Amino acid sequence: MDVYSDNDVSAYSGSPRPAWRRLLEDIETGTVDAIACWHVDRLTRSPRELEDVIDLADDSRFSLESDTSALNLSDNLQVWDIRSMVEAWLYRC
């Protein structure tokens, strides 16, 4: 288990997020087979990042667990739910 944290990088700055890049690379290589986060809207900082996670889920099976629910990225309905949650979060900002 590892913690991937970019706490000091602003969501709005557009600055590179080294831990995020490392997480995506570890998913691609199969080092990571599950992601645990407080809420999906805290995992990604943009809709594009969410799409990156969903795209990776299509290529390599892994689970996404959040404090609010277990999410199955191979289930199209749940993918739609995830996208809706992030959209709602972005709308609030």
Side-chain angles (χ1 to χ4, degrees):
M1 178 167 39
D2 202 349
V3 174
Y4 299 80
S5 177
D6 283 318
N7 285 338
D8 296 332
V9 179
S10 167
Y12 299 104
S13 70
S15 298
R17 295 177 55 206
W20 175 252
R21 284 278 125 223
R22 188 168 55 91
L23 173 62
L24 296 179
E25 290 168 5
D26 287 352
I27 293 169
E28 288 174 348
T29 62
T31 304
V32 169
D33 61 2
I35 297 174
C37 60
W38 176 73
H39 195 280
V40 175
D41 68 4
R42 305 310 306 153
L43 173 65
T44 61
R45 306 246 176 113
S46 71
R48 178 67 254 161
E49 289 180 354
L50 173 65
E51 292 298 329
D52 291 342
V53 171
I54 292 170
D55 290 345
L56 283 172
D58 287 341
D59 296 336
S60 57
R61 297 291 174 226
F62 65 92
S63 63
L64 175 59
E65 305 287 333
S66 76
D67 191 42
T68 55
S69 65
L71 303 167
N72 179 353
L73 296 177
S74 64
D75 180 330
N76 289 336
L77 183 57
Q78 285 202 7
V79 169
W80 182 83
D81 285 343
I82 295 168
R83 287 179 171 141
S84 297
M85 284 187 287
V86 171
E87 186 65 30
W89 174 76
L90 290 171
Y91 183 72
R92 285 191 316 237
C93 293

